[in-house]
Amino acid sequence: MAEAFKFELVSPERLLVSAEVESVVIPGAEGEMTVMAHHAPVMTTIKPGVVTVKNSSGSEERYVVFGGFADIVPAGCTLLAESAVAVKDVDRADLARRIQEAKEDAADAKDDQSRSKAEQFLSQLTTLEGAILPA
């Protein structure tokens, strides 16, 4: 059994998780990463995706996050999300609204850099939609 460490998932609205866990998989900007006890210190930005939390009991919980950053130290990990919700509580209409807004942002972009950033965010949202919602 893996050693437990302190994990907190915080959104502007509320504290979603504050628990001793075995591992956490986070969607870092440079790719997914698994955090375990005694992890090397790292600070990373978070892209829209799913955070998977493996509790000390062995059960898993999944949360959708929309951006933010994670502060990882040997004793624990704090993920500050721009927005977060449990996968089981995902609102299909809210996700569809976010995708529509991202499409509009891409279409309304004034320059290539803004358009590229909006298209990347749209791609992340549609990938997320496919990963968490049944067809």
Side-chain angles (χ1 to χ4, degrees), residues 9-133:
L9 173 57
V10 183
S11 74
E13 300 84 30
R14 64 190 172 119
L15 174 67
L16 282 94
V17 179
S18 181
E20 294 287 321
V21 301
E22 283 188 11
S23 66
V24 178
V25 178
I26 60 175
E30 301 297 319
E32 280 193 351
M33 61 188 299
T34 301
V35 179
M36 298 181 79
H38 309 294
H39 196 287
V42 176
M43 184 169 280
T44 185
T45 55
I46 302 299
K47 66 181 182 181
V50 176
V51 173
T52 304
V53 179
K54 184 173 182 183
N55 295 308
S56 298
S57 65
S59 64
E60 288 188 354
E61 297 175 16
R62 295 172 16 133
Y63 299 86
V64 175
V65 295
F66 292 97
F69 69 93
D71 183 21
I72 303 163
V73 296
C77 173
T78 300
L79 195 156
L80 301 173
E82 292 174 14
S83 177
V85 64
V87 167
K88 63 183 176 162
D89 298 333
V90 169
D91 181 348
R92 183 183 287 267
D94 180 53
L95 187 55
R97 179 188 55 77
R98 288 177 187 258
I99 289 171
Q100 184 58 39
E101 288 175 359
K103 287 178 182 176
E104 292 169 5
D105 289 346
D108 295 343
K110 303 275 188 248
D111 56 53
D112 289 340
Q113 183 179 6
S114 298
R115 184 174 297 104
S116 177
K117 186 174 180 179
E119 288 173 350
Q120 180 181 14
F121 186 63
L122 175 60
S123 173
Q124 292 169 346
L125 287 176
T126 55
T127 298
L128 178 60
E129 178 183 45
I132 63 169
L133 296 177

